[in-house]
């Protein structure tokens, strides 16, 4: 799992999380529940989304460090780190730890 740096709280910009879906045998899973947590506080759910018939969630904004952090080499971490927990009836729960969100980017 990625370690967070002291600059992590500096997240005035937003990144986007989209196309979160479970795929089994190349089939999208509808009505899957996607819980998003900050990796600093994995017990606190920030967002809870449900997939549509295409296995996709709505696009949401998540806090991210300023874009400038990724444009020049500095010691500040240029992305935010989130965890995803995906559950759906008839499927094993899935956890994705360390999803990186960059300012202005779709992940």
């Amino acid at each position: 799992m990625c370690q967070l740096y002291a600059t992590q709280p500096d997240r005035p910009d937003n990144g986007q999380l989209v196309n979160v879906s479970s795929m089994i045998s190349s089939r999208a899973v509808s009505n899957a529940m996607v819980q998003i947590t900050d990796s600093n506080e994995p017990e606190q759910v920030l967002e809870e989304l449900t997939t549509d018939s295409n296995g996709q969630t709505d696009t949401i904004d998540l806090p991210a460090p300023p874009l400038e952090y990724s444009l020049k080499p500095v010691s500040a971490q240029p992305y935010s780190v989130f965890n995803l927990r995906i559950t759906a009836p008839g499927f094993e729960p899935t956890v994705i730890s360390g999803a990186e969100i960059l300012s202005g980017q779709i992940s």
Side-chain angles (χ1 to χ4, degrees):
M1 182 179 293
C2 297
Q3 291 292 319
L4 298 175
Y5 298 92
T7 57
Q8 186 69 17
D10 184 13
R11 300 186 292 191
D13 293 343
N14 289 312
Q16 296 177 333
L17 183 66
V18 68
N19 296 334
V20 178
S21 62
S22 272
M23 302 292 281
I24 301 295
S25 303
S26 299
R27 263 186 37 221
V29 177
S30 62
N31 296 316
M33 178 66 62
V34 180
Q35 293 180 327
I36 302 169
T37 63
D38 189 308
S39 61
N40 281 332
E41 300 179 45
E43 299 303 317
Q44 181 180 350
V45 176
L46 300 173
E47 294 282 346
E48 196 167 84
L49 308 166
T50 303
T51 58
D52 62 16
S53 62
N54 295 317
Q56 299 179 340
T57 65
D58 291 334
T59 301
I60 62 166
D61 287 332
L62 294 169
L67 178 63
E68 294 78 30
Y69 286 13
S70 63
L71 299 177
K72 57 185 173 184
V74 294
S75 60
Q77 180 174 306
Y79 53 85
S80 293
V81 181
F82 294 91
N83 299 326
L84 309 173
R85 179 167 164 54
I86 304 165
T87 57
F91 294 90
E92 293 284 329
T94 300
V95 175
I96 299 170
S97 298
E100 299 173 359
I101 304 296
L102 289 136
S103 177
Q105 298 298 307
I106 296 177
S107 298

